[in-house]
Amino acid sequence: MRPKDGLALLLLLAACGGAEGGGGKTILRVAYEREIDVLNPFTSQNLADIGYTMIEGLVTTDEHNRYIPVLARTIPTRANGLVKNTAGSMVEITWPLQDSVRWHDGVPFTSKDVCFTWKFVTSPNSETYNREQYLHIQDCRTPDDHTVVFVWDGEYAYYDGLFEAILPEHILGALSTEAIVKYEPYNRGPKTIGTGPFKFAEWKSGEYIRLVRNDQYWRGRALPKIDEIVWAFIPDANTRLNALKSGQYHYGRIQPNQVKDVKDLAGYQTHLVSQNSVMHLDVSRRTPHGALIFGDERVRRAIFQAIDRTAIAGQLMEGTVQVANSPINPTSRFHKADLAVPAVDTVMSKQLLDQAGWLMGADGVRHKGADRLTFLISNRAGATDRIAVAQVIQAQLKAIGVEVTFETLESAAWTNKWRSGQWEAVVSAWFLPADPSLTGLYACDGANNMTGFCDPELDVLLKRSDRTLDDQARKRDLDLAQERLIATARTLPLYYNVIPEVVSTRIGNFRASGTNFGSFWNVFDWTLAP
Amino acid sequence: MGRYLRRRLIQLVPLLFGISIVIFGVIQAAPGGPEGSLLAAGRFVDPSVIESYRHRLGVDQPVWRQYLNWLGASARGDLGQSFSTSRPVTAMIGERLPATLELMGAAFLFAALVALPFGLFSALRRYTLADMLGTGLSFLGVAMPVFWFGLLLQLIFSVRLGWLPVSGTGTIGASSVGDHLRHLILPGLVLSTRYIAGWSRYFRSSLIGVSRAGFVRTARAKGLTETRVVGVHTVRNALVPVISVMALNVADLFSGAVITETVFAWPGIGRLFVQGMFARDYPLLMGILLMGAVTVILFNLVADLLYGALDPRIRYE
Amino acid sequence: MPSLIIFGAIVVACLAAPLVAPHAMDAIDLAAVKQAPSRLHWMGTDDLGRDVLSRLLFGGRISIVIGLLAAVAGTTLGAVVGAVAAFYGRAVDNVLMRITDVAYAIPSLPLLIILSAYSRAAIVSMVLIIGGLSWMATARVVRAEVLTIREMPFVEAARVLGAGSGVTILRHVLPNAMGSLIVGATLGVGNAILIESSLSFLGLGVQPPTATWGNMLMDAQSTMAAKPWLTIFPGGAILLVILAVNFIGDGLRDALDPQKDPA
């Protein structure tokens, strides 16, 4: 047999199979950007969309970034009388629950499941990423099957964004916390159950997860309107783009620099979904050299004012993103719109550096005594967008006599370095929940403040804003906090992150959301036209 | 033969011990730890959660104890539990092995179908234009970075022409044998180019070597037709070293397809390894490397034995 | 021969990059990103508005230097290990060959991926890592050759005449093994360039702003369909060099083959 015959035979064999099919079922095909670890929404590091499609919580977020009730009938507030201050500065919050909800195995969902979830999350080894937020809850009471009451140790602003998922007590209740974390039937199916519109069907390692319609869905038998969802794991961004362009999938996330390529893709629309995430330049004063440079507010201001963020957003990111002026995304109601980040002014930058005693040297780099005005940006290998931004910053700072050098660390090594605080600058972005807390990032003792900066006045604002249920007061404090962060040149917001989502025009009722809940929050309502 | 085999197997013990130390040392000492995966998604994690995670995984124990635990368990065939999924490493590798085996199988088949006929052709017509062109073409596959070649084929055959699917092993929910084979073509083709050039060149020089050997001259002198001389005597003898090279290449099983699998979202071992790497999933990484090493050793042994079995001049003692 | 000329021309052009490159390697121009080839930019510009031709020349220096040094490092290490093992025999041979077995058995690309996490993705570490993982085959070949040559009369004669063992290896044995060493090293150059590009694909290769053909090719993948020149030039450069290197290696093998037939 000649080689050509072999290929022909293979093609012939291949031609016998058809790509379409599925027996008249509507199957939503998602080109998913990562393979997930486990199906437990609390211990998974990357479950997100797939989890929320199966497993519902008390609340979710809609396309306007607002919390809306899911398993709760309504979100408790002071106004509707469900939030009450009680003796000893405790706060009682009553959640009325939907009363006709059943788990995928037919067992009714009750308030006991909610309290069980609280117990699991707050026990020491639950490994839930935001466990400390739940620790403010002192007690969970179940007056009846459809009412749950949390007793809080005081006012806490994030009370309505917790419980993003509820665990089934009848499946996991007999196990210890440690056993639940490692419980394979729930981590990987088939015992993974929730109350959501889709049920777990199959997980083929490295390949896909398949979910099927929940025929007993509590919002009504007509919902969901799609029979199956298949999440195919396609981690490589270029392969994912090709897969979308070949028409094999209905939904997929791509990178901002790929947007132009799909602009005219027939049958698809690209949504630039604004995330709760701001790309920014962070500087640290934890190292002696960092303290020497960045300890001086004039130097920070000079550096920030030399960086042309408009060019970064418009040219480098090809206009897919907006210049950021605040560390809080515009989709949040706590975003302060009229913040004035100083415009690019290299003349001013040079003056500031002169004033601060950093004088231009013969080598084109500023000096102060024996010290050179140079700093190191630690890049994470493979984070192409951030590395590109860092290169632009490097080129622009050269013009004012500031030298920027790079080190590139592989992902886990970078994280290690960032946590150690022994770095000078990073271009970075975090994905914050729908209700942005700046406290962990910027308070003196913030768990994620690795910069060594401490501003007692800012601390007062941030901490007060966390411990209030008065929306107006909170907004006022957070406005002041945002102003102060910019005024003290603590960090330089660059642009508001977007993730482009390529969505088939056959999908109906798609309403994009860039919170931690993501765009699948209303998947029960989606339609898929033939 | 039996004694030879026994000696080779006994030699394996210190070899495996050395391999285990290298694998463990290299992986443990890599900067960054498994807690990096908690922050990889870009969300904040409470520091207490990070401590509790490290404690559960046992990475806060002294290194020598971690090594002894791992060595003891893996000697009994237990490669431990994955950090990120809490599942047995052997089960995870077991799930992914068939996909890699299949991809390698397809690549080998395709490579053999192309390389052997071409090797024969270019040995018979050596230094002709066709020989050189073919050689150039076979080198082309080696010379293109795999990811570029793969993505290029996707663009041409899937996006432009729409003939073949981009990635995966089948159309989920509508798979059939034909559909599955369609998915196998592009990754199989890309992977096969790794071997085509090598095998055809090897076969070519082996054919040339054999044709100079005495017994071929004898056969010719006996008046056998040229077809019989080339077909039976030369080819059969020249295949011997090629087959043992093929056996050596089977040992690539755990490493050869890393890039191909990533580009085509093929659910094999290579991708599992890359995933484990970024999560610093120590048990998974060590398990894959250890099984990879064992595969290499076994197929080296197989290659040697094959050589002996196919070539009557070689005897083991 | 044409391969040698092509390879030589590319090497010379890249080494002369500072003289011949039309633009600076890192001259960022955000007003002119991803431009098609033009008279100003013969190969267009990349995502930061840098001149692709200039980056190709400077990047080629890095890629070729990595290739050459890694090949030399791997071959030298392999030759030394193989020669020493064969010449001293017994315990030395045993220890060295067992180390070779261990290094040979561990799958190399996965090991490379792990090792690249150690490095700060710099050129030196890339050379050491790639070279450090590609010496085993050479070691075995050299050992086998030395074992054969050691018994030959002229080596025996040298020893009788009082030459030290180290001198003997250097003067007589290595030159005889040179043929296979050169072929191995030649192919090693191409291999190292490909490995760097594979690591770039996983985000673990040499990192920007330093250009290599591998990271240029990888960075351009996301716009391969829309802006083909961004991939064709670095990809084509890799292709040309590796093709040339393979042909050179192939030619050398034939030329050095003592049994080469007159046809």
Side-chain angles (χ1 to χ4, degrees):
Chain A
M1 191 162 69
R2 285 174 305 145
K4 258 172 84 183
D5 296 339
L7 181 62
L9 183 71
L10 214 57
L11 280 167
L12 193 72
L13 272 168
C16 303
E20 280 296 322
K25 283 186 290 192
T26 48
I27 304 179
L28 178 73
R29 297 177 189 280
V30 179
Y32 206 54
E33 65 271 22
R34 54 182 178 253
E35 164 144 32
I36 58 171
D37 45 9
V38 293
L39 292 172
N40 183 328
F42 290 102
T43 60
S44 168
Q45 303 309 330
N46 55 10
L47 183 57
D49 314 270
I50 300 177
Y52 297 131
T53 304
M54 285 188 290
I55 301 167
E56 295 173 321
L58 294 182
V59 294
T60 187
T61 49
D62 65 7
E63 73 270 38
H64 305 298
N65 221 345
R66 285 179 311 220
Y67 285 116
I68 54 166
V70 180
L71 289 178
R73 274 210 311 274
T74 177
I75 294 180
T77 58
R78 277 235 177 77
N80 65 20
L82 295 171
V83 174
K84 289 192 211 105
N85 290 57
T86 57
S89 75
M90 302 290 250
V91 177
E92 263 188 32
I93 299 183
T94 305
W95 292 79
L97 305 176
Q98 301 284 355
D99 47 19
S100 56
V101 178
R102 283 174 186 277
W103 293 99
H104 291 156
D105 59 3
V107 174
F109 156 79
T110 70
S111 53
K112 291 198 185 60
D113 293 308
V114 180
C115 284
F116 167 71
T117 304
W118 166 71
K119 266 186 214 135
F120 169 77
V121 170
T122 52
S123 57
N125 296 319
S126 73
E127 294 176 20
T128 303
Y129 74 100
N130 59 348
R131 172 174 167 266
E132 280 165 25
Q133 291 197 302
Y134 290 84
L135 292 178
H136 295 291
I137 301 175
Q138 303 289 306
D139 194 16
C140 179
R141 293 203 292 260
T142 51
D144 63 57
D145 272 359
H146 305 296
T147 309
V148 68
V149 179
F150 293 119
V151 181
W152 289 74
D153 65 356
E155 298 194 359
Y156 192 62
Y158 310 101
Y159 76 95
D160 56 354
L162 303 181
F163 294 97
E164 45 203 80
I166 299 294
L167 300 175
E169 189 189 17
H170 68 282
I171 301 282
L172 303 172
L175 302 170
S176 69
T177 304
E178 292 76 14
I180 292 174
V181 170
K182 300 177 89 166
Y183 187 52
E184 192 169 325
Y186 188 80
N187 280 344
R188 240 195 104 75
K191 288 202 174 173
T192 316
I193 59 164
T195 58
F198 291 89
K199 297 190 291 187
F200 177 82
E202 182 189 9
W203 177 349
K204 197 130 180 294
S205 174
E207 225 181 336
Y208 62 84
I209 283 185
R210 194 164 62 87
L211 308 181
V212 296
R213 183 178 194 275
N214 173 10
D215 293 328
Q216 314 289 323
Y217 191 46
W218 58 271
R219 287 185 205 260
R221 295 288 159 90
L223 299 173
K225 299 166 188 167
I226 293 170
D227 293 317
E228 283 188 23
I229 305 183
V230 168
W231 311 77
F233 309 133
I234 310 181
D236 184 68
N238 303 306
T239 307
R240 208 159 57 243
L241 179 71
N242 285 342
L244 285 162
K245 281 164 78 177
S246 73
Q248 288 172 281
Y249 295 90
H250 303 115
Y251 173 98
R253 298 194 180 105
I254 59 170
Q255 296 173 346
N257 62 0
Q258 296 173 322
V259 167
K260 272 192 180 158
D261 210 4
V262 290
K263 209 176 57 193
D264 302 318
L265 186 61
Y268 290 88
Q269 208 185 345
T270 305
H271 302 253
L272 297 176
V273 184
S274 186
Q275 307 292 303
N276 271 336
S277 170
V278 178
M279 191 64 77
H280 61 274
L281 173 68
D282 253 350
V283 295
S284 167
R285 53 176 301 170
R286 290 268 290 268
T287 62
H289 185 69
L292 176 74
I293 298 175
F294 301 122
D296 188 335
E297 189 183 311
R298 291 170 296 184
V299 176
R300 300 202 299 272
R301 195 182 304 282
I303 288 173
F304 291 174
Q305 257 179 281
I307 295 171
D308 185 355
R309 301 174 303 144
T310 316
I312 291 176
Q315 308 298 324
L316 177 65
M317 300 304 291
E318 303 180 32
T320 52
V321 296
Q322 301 296 316
V323 171
N325 290 322
S326 155
I328 297 180
N329 192 282
T331 53
S332 166
R333 67 185 192 280
F334 297 110
H335 168 75
K336 184 160 167 47
D338 55 352
L339 278 176
V341 175
V344 184
D345 187 345
T346 49
V347 178
M348 171 86 114
S349 287
K350 289 175 188 164
Q351 283 173 2
L352 280 168
L353 291 174
D354 287 342
Q355 282 168 24
W358 291 98
L359 303 173
M360 194 56 122
D363 56 352
V365 177
R366 288 170 182 270
H367 293 254
K368 184 171 171 177
D371 297 303
R372 298 173 82 230
L373 188 45
T374 174
F375 67 91
L376 179 71
I377 297 186
S378 300
N379 288 321
R380 184 159 66 184
T384 36
D385 51 347
R386 297 174 196 196
I387 296 175
V389 169
Q391 291 182 74
V392 174
I393 291 175
Q394 182 186 46
Q396 292 179 340
L397 292 187
K398 200 174 171 185
I400 59 162
V402 178
E403 181 188 66
V404 176
T405 52
F406 290 147
E407 72 170 354
T408 308
L409 304 169
E410 181 275 341
S411 178
W414 184 89
T415 306
N416 206 31
K417 175 134 191 176
W418 176 78
R419 279 184 12 100
S420 77
Q422 296 303 302
W423 44 274
E424 291 170 9
V426 291
V427 174
S428 139
W430 298 97
F431 286 81
L432 300 174
D435 193 333
S437 168
L438 302 179
T439 314
L441 205 46
Y442 298 111
C444 298
D445 59 352
N448 297 299
N449 178 0
M450 304 296 170
T451 63
F453 283 100
C454 176
D455 177 353
E457 274 184 57
L458 184 67
D459 262 31
V460 173
L461 295 170
L462 290 174
K463 291 192 170 157
R464 197 165 62 202
S465 80
D466 281 346
R467 302 304 306 243
T468 179
L469 294 174
D470 179 345
D471 233 34
Q472 297 290 315
R474 186 156 179 243
K475 169 101 179 117
R476 219 162 33 235
D477 281 342
L478 284 175
D479 278 355
L480 288 170
Q482 290 170 70
E483 260 170 25
R484 200 164 167 82
L485 278 169
I486 300 305
T488 57
R490 174 75 175 272
T491 178
L492 179 68
L494 296 167
Y495 58 81
Y496 301 115
N497 257 330
V498 300
I499 293 183
E501 299 181 9
V502 179
V503 184
S504 166
T505 47
R506 288 167 58 192
I507 294 181
N509 295 333
F510 175 79
R511 284 186 277 159
S513 166
T515 69
N516 50 330
F517 288 95
S519 286
F520 287 80
W521 65 276
N522 71 333
V523 69
F524 61 86
D525 213 17
W526 288 18
T527 56
L528 186 63
Chain B
M1 176 85 178
R3 207 195 300 158
Y4 171 78
L5 196 61
R6 201 173 319 135
R7 208 182 67 222
R8 286 288 296 260
L9 288 175
I10 290 170
Q11 281 177 353
L12 284 187
V13 178
L15 184 60
L16 282 173
F17 185 68
I19 289 170
S20 78
I21 289 183
V22 172
I23 288 176
F24 183 88
V26 162
I27 290 178
Q28 289 282 326
E35 67 274 13
S37 66
L38 300 184
L39 290 140
R43 68 182 184 189
F44 289 125
V45 175
D46 297 336
S48 64
V49 170
I50 291 175
E51 286 323 303
S52 138
Y53 185 66
R54 285 179 57 86
H55 181 70
R56 171 167 70 88
L57 303 181
V59 290
D60 53 353
Q61 288 179 14
V63 172
W64 59 268
R65 184 177 298 161
Q66 291 181 53
Y67 173 69
L68 290 183
N69 287 346
W70 175 67
L71 188 69
S74 40
R76 292 189 306 269
D78 172 13
L79 293 176
Q81 285 183 334
S82 153
F83 284 173
S84 49
T85 66
S86 298
R87 303 179 59 220
V89 166
T90 40
M92 291 176 72
I93 294 177
E95 280 166 4
R96 299 293 192 99
L97 200 54
T100 300
L101 274 174
E102 190 186 8
L103 182 57
M104 290 283 282
F108 267 49
L109 183 70
F110 192 75
L113 286 177
V114 175
L116 297 184
F118 177 68
L120 180 62
F121 171 83
S122 67
L124 291 176
R125 302 266 180 282
R126 78 195 87 130
Y127 306 121
T128 61
L129 188 65
D131 171 28
M132 289 186 208
L133 275 181
T135 306
L137 209 62
S138 69
F139 281 163
L140 209 62
V142 186
M144 278 182 94
V146 169
F147 65 91
W148 186 39
F149 190 32
L151 290 167
L152 209 59
L153 290 184
Q154 285 177 6
L155 268 184
I156 296 169
F157 290 100
S158 311
V159 178
R160 282 284 142 75
L161 300 173
W163 290 356
L164 293 167
V166 172
S167 64
T169 67
T171 307
I172 306 146
S175 48
S176 60
V177 176
D179 176 67
H180 181 63
L181 287 177
R182 277 160 45 90
H183 283 81
L184 191 55
I185 293 176
L186 289 185
L189 188 68
V190 167
L191 192 58
S192 73
T193 56
R194 260 176 83 95
Y195 305 109
I196 290 176
W199 292 0
S200 66
R201 298 307 282 167
Y202 210 75
F203 191 41
R204 176 180 181 267
S205 59
S206 167
L207 279 166
I208 296 174
V210 170
S211 66
R212 293 197 202 100
F215 64 94
V216 175
R217 257 179 267 146
T218 314
R220 234 181 232 132
K222 271 184 3 197
L224 293 181
T225 60
E226 192 64 18
T227 326
R228 264 191 78 85
V229 173
V230 174
V232 181
H233 294 270
T234 316
V235 168
R236 202 178 59 197
N237 285 289
L239 267 178
V240 173
V242 179
I243 287 175
S244 59
V245 164
M246 290 175 171
L248 286 179
N249 280 333
V250 177
D252 281 356
L253 196 57
F254 282 79
S255 61
V258 171
I259 308 288
T260 312
E261 286 178 359
T262 308
V263 169
F264 289 96
W266 193 264
I269 299 281
R271 245 181 75 204
L272 189 65
F273 184 86
V274 172
Q275 219 174 305
M277 170 64 200
F278 287 115
R280 290 292 189 281
D281 196 333
Y282 297 156
L284 183 62
L285 297 176
M286 295 192 292
I288 293 176
L289 281 186
L290 193 63
M291 288 186 66
V294 170
T295 315
V296 172
I297 295 169
L298 284 183
F299 277 90
N300 263 291
L301 189 55
V302 170
D304 287 351
L305 294 179
L306 263 179
Y307 213 91
L310 294 173
D311 189 335
R313 287 170 300 177
I314 297 172
R315 285 276 168 272
Y316 296 107
E317 38 188 283
Chain C
M1 204 56 191
S3 326
L4 208 56
I5 294 170
I6 291 174
F7 183 64
I10 294 177
V11 171
V12 168
C14 291
L15 289 182
L19 303 174
V20 298
H23 300 262
M25 181 193 80
D26 52 358
I28 287 175
D29 181 4
L30 289 185
V33 297
K34 294 187 194 172
Q35 288 192 342
S38 65
R39 271 172 56 195
L40 185 58
H41 299 286
W42 291 1
M43 294 185 181
T45 62
D46 71 0
D47 56 339
L48 290 168
R50 296 172 298 202
D51 183 58
V52 172
L53 173 58
S54 305
R55 285 183 73 70
L56 201 67
L57 291 170
F58 279 99
R61 292 174 109 189
I62 310 291
S63 291
I64 291 173
V65 162
I66 288 178
L68 287 174
L69 289 185
V72 169
T75 312
T76 312
L77 184 61
V80 169
V81 169
V84 167
F87 209 85
Y88 290 98
R90 296 168 192 277
V92 176
D93 184 25
N94 224 330
V95 168
L96 286 178
M97 282 303 109
R98 292 301 78 76
I99 292 176
T100 310
D101 288 345
V102 168
Y104 184 81
I106 301 173
S108 60
L109 186 57
L111 197 58
L112 262 166
I113 292 173
I114 295 173
L115 288 176
S116 59
Y118 283 83
S119 75
R120 311 246 150 143
I123 299 154
V124 180
S125 48
M126 202 61 66
V127 166
L128 289 180
I129 291 172
I130 298 175
L133 288 181
S134 53
W135 55 273
M136 293 80 75
T138 314
R140 287 183 173 173
V141 170
V142 169
R143 176 175 173 272
E145 298 230 4
V146 171
L147 280 180
T148 324
I149 296 166
R150 197 176 59 164
E151 307 306 327
M152 289 188 174
F154 66 91
V155 178
E156 203 66 32
R159 207 183 285 152
V160 170
L161 289 174
S165 46
V167 175
T168 317
I169 293 183
L170 278 180
R171 295 249 332 253
H172 298 285
V173 176
L174 278 185
N176 277 287
M178 217 41 157
S180 46
L181 283 188
I182 290 175
V183 174
T186 315
L187 299 176
V189 174
N191 202 27
I193 293 176
L194 279 180
I195 288 177
E196 199 279 325
S197 79
S198 290
L199 289 177
S200 287
F201 171 70
L202 297 171
L204 300 169
V206 173
Q207 296 288 329
T210 308
T212 66
W213 291 342
N215 70 25
M216 289 175 75
L217 183 59
M218 181 51 208
D219 284 349
Q221 290 305 310
S222 54
T223 47
M224 186 152 85
K227 313 267 191 262
W229 66 88
L230 286 173
T231 52
I232 285 173
F233 293 117
I238 294 179
L239 195 75
L240 266 182
V241 162
I242 294 175
L243 269 183
V245 158
N246 271 295
F247 274 113
I248 295 170
D250 211 45
L252 281 174
R253 188 164 21 212
D254 277 2
L256 298 169
D257 180 3
Q259 294 189 345
K260 183 177 171 27
D261 57 355

